[in-house]
């Protein structure tokens, strides 16, 4: 190894790891080393630039807490999270989109037709649709787990004195695969930009705004779960979402509420508007 | 941007940064995004693997302190630090090698011939040589800043109750470009392996040992500084240093002390052995 130079070092580093030949770990590690080294050679990275990267990572670590994961945020603004979502979308299934930092795995079960908005300000909306498999068959008993920001772009979990389970609901689809509930239309909000990732955005003259969206995690027995977001036509930042979460197939239309069209859906409240969005799940592995 | 898919997202992310066209920042960022995305597509990275990487970085951040920079350690064991050292070595100059975590920028000035070993156990050695420019001319007044582990592989700065400036010295070369001092021969030691990087080493069945070495930072007016390490022939880990610091050109031979050969070097103590190593500096930018 004393003969290594800037071209042979890459294979020497790979060989230093004795991970099993052909294993996934070895494949991931070898490729990582190759890309890291190629990047460094291609850019002729200086010591100062190298140290700037390491200091950036150190600073991301320092600002991170269990509730503030700066590395996920970094992944988000570099489109890495979105790319992983895209790669892992199964053919025919609804496209994946960002999980984000606000998911809770113990949100309350609610009956179909329930209202999540309560007395919150904003446009109330009926969210409804059908969960199907890739053969277009409705899935009864699918779980529709949703969470969202309010009419001012804030998640209740972000505000002291609010119930963190507000604006969340876990619904089970009926025999026809349908889900339906009313809520308040969420507004856009910014990702946290007071840390190193915010500095990066400023250095690149980028904004921190996310297009307004509803979060969904959809699960059903023997099906592959999806995590996705539903966006709204003609709303702000829909074409320059800070975390690249928007996909054409995930944009819903907000229509005026027409009771006649959904007369068979018993609702707790009468909303101002309505949104129809169907989800498709692919078979599990 | 709503039309992005796993192939077009890379250009969309690049375009989201409005950094100046042709700037170094844009070049570094564009290349980083390209490699990150290529890696992800080539490996078909799963959500679980992506999250494992982010959790690893989070954990590196949590264990890091101003005195324990886990990201530098990560860079070291992936050969990234060594590669940056190699890329930034100037033609004809002594090869760069790891700065490591123990450099202090306010170590004491000492006169040529001083002894750093004091009463420490181990083999005492005369370190001497000439600092030259790439035209082979000796450089008078060059600064030779050295630091090292002791005869048991420990830096004084690592041990409570020890003087952190021990086993350090800043020397100025004489009119003939010479430096000379006595010290104790350092022993191998391990990089810290009680954190996430240690886990990575274990997962890859790698050891954490560094070959024994002396650290040097060499500076002179109008010359480009170098940071490097001097290793010793036929010592342990010389062919599998954990951070890829060894280069053939940086390996010195330990010879028995022969006073006749260095009669013109006034020394504070008579050592057991001697090492000759010459440094070459390239012109500054």
């Amino acid at each position: 190894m004393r003969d290594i130079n800037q071209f042979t070092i890459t294979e020497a580093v790979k060989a230093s790891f004795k991970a099993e030949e052909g294993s996934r770990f070895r494949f991931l590690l070898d490729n990582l080393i190759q890309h890291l080294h190629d990047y460094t050679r291609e850019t002729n990275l200086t010591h100062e630039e190298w140290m700037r990267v390491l200091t950036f990572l150190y600073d991301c670590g320092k600002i991170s807490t269990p509730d503030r994961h700066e590395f996920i945020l970094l992944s988000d603004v570099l489109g890495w999270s979105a790319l992983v979502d895209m790669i892992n979308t199964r053919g025919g299934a609804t496209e994946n989109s960002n999980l984000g930092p606000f998911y809770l795995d113990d949100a309350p079960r609610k009956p179909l037709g329930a209202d999540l908005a309560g007395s919150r300000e904003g446009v109330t909306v009926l969210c409804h649709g059908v969960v199907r498999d890739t053969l277009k068959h409705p899935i009864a008993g699918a779980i529709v787990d949703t969470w969202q920001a309010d009419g001012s772009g804030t998640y209740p979990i972000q505000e002291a004195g609010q119930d963190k389970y507000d604006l969340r609901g876990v619904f089970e689809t009926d025999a026809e695969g349908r889900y339906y509930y009313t809520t308040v239309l969420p507004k856009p909000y910014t990702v946290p930009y007071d840390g190193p990732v915010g500095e990066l955005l400023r250095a690149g003259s980028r904004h921190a705004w996310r297009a307004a969206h509803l979060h969904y995690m959809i699960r059903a027995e023997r099906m592959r779960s999806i995590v996705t977001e539903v966006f709204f036509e003609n709303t702000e930042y829909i074409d320059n979402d800070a975390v690249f979460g928007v996909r054409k197939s995930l944009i819903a239309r907000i229509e005026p509420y027409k009771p006649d069209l959904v007369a068979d859906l018993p609702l707790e409240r009468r909303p101002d508007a309505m949104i129809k969005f169907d989800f498709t799940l692919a078979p599990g592995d």
Side-chain angles (χ1 to χ4, degrees), chain A:
Chain A
M1 194 148 80
R2 64 185 74 178
D3 281 326
I4 50 173
N5 60 40
Q6 64 170 292
F7 303 104
T8 59
I9 188 174
T10 306
E11 290 307 315
V13 175
K14 288 181 189 174
S16 73
F17 285 95
K18 308 296 182 300
E20 197 191 332
E21 285 287 349
S23 68
R24 179 74 178 160
F25 177 63
R26 176 153 211 135
F27 178 69
L28 291 177
L29 200 58
D30 281 359
N31 272 277
L32 176 72
I33 294 163
Q34 187 70 50
H35 275 287
L36 178 67
H37 286 206
D38 283 348
Y39 174 74
T40 307
R41 280 184 289 257
E42 287 164 20
T43 58
N44 262 311
L45 203 68
T46 69
H47 276 110
E48 293 69 27
E49 291 160 348
W50 165 78
M51 185 49 81
R52 186 71 198 83
V53 173
L54 294 176
T55 302
F56 180 84
L57 294 173
Y58 181 92
D59 292 343
C60 286
K62 284 306 121 189
I63 206 170
S64 287
T65 64
D67 294 333
R68 163 77 182 266
H69 198 314
E70 194 80 356
F71 295 101
I72 294 183
L73 183 60
L74 178 61
S75 167
D76 288 352
V77 305
L78 293 180
W80 195 30
S81 313
L83 178 56
V84 172
D85 288 337
M86 289 167 173
I87 284 176
N88 290 287
T89 291
R90 294 300 161 101
T94 301
E95 291 189 83
N96 294 310
S97 186
N98 302 54
L99 174 66
F102 298 122
Y103 175 67
L104 293 179
D105 63 5
D106 58 351
R109 280 285 186 130
K110 300 218 169 132
L112 289 170
D115 175 56
L116 308 184
S119 58
R120 289 172 186 280
E121 296 211 349
V123 178
T124 55
V125 62
L126 163 66
C127 298
H128 73 116
V130 178
V131 180
R132 294 193 180 90
D133 63 25
T134 45
L135 299 173
K136 312 284 185 205
H137 298 136
I139 305 175
I143 301 300
V144 175
D145 190 343
T146 185
W147 66 105
Q148 64 168 93
D150 65 16
S152 66
T154 306
Y155 288 79
I157 198 174
Q158 295 177 290
E159 291 215 306
Q162 290 219 39
D163 181 349
K164 69 176 180 177
Y165 295 112
D166 268 10
L167 293 179
R168 293 170 192 268
V170 179
F171 301 95
E172 192 176 324
T173 58
D174 66 14
E176 289 144 85
R178 297 181 303 186
Y179 74 92
Y180 48 97
Y181 64 95
T182 53
T183 187
V184 65
L185 207 59
K187 284 283 185 195
Y189 60 86
T190 61
V191 297
Y193 57 88
D194 58 334
V197 172
E199 268 180 63
L200 177 65
L201 293 179
R202 278 188 294 280
S205 304
R206 276 180 57 175
H207 70 75
W209 287 92
R210 296 224 51 203
H213 56 271
L214 299 163
H215 284 281
Y216 288 100
M217 182 182 288
I218 316 286
R219 302 187 292 272
E221 274 184 49
R222 293 185 299 280
M223 309 304 281
R224 189 177 165 89
S225 301
I226 59 167
V227 173
T228 193
E229 300 173 288
V230 171
F231 300 86
F232 317 113
E233 233 183 41
N234 299 321
T235 51
E236 258 187 309
Y237 310 111
I238 193 85
D239 280 315
N240 54 5
D241 182 59
V243 306
F244 309 93
V246 181
R247 322 269 183 270
K248 201 173 183 177
S249 71
L250 299 178
I251 302 175
R253 181 173 298 185
I254 305 167
E255 310 265 17
Y257 179 61
K258 296 198 178 113
D260 298 352
L261 295 181
V262 288
D264 54 339
L265 304 185
L267 299 179
E268 191 180 330
R269 89 183 285 159
R270 185 192 164 94
D272 303 320
M274 54 197 281
I275 289 169
K276 186 170 194 311
F277 196 88
D278 297 337
F279 296 99
T280 305
L281 299 187
D285 299 312

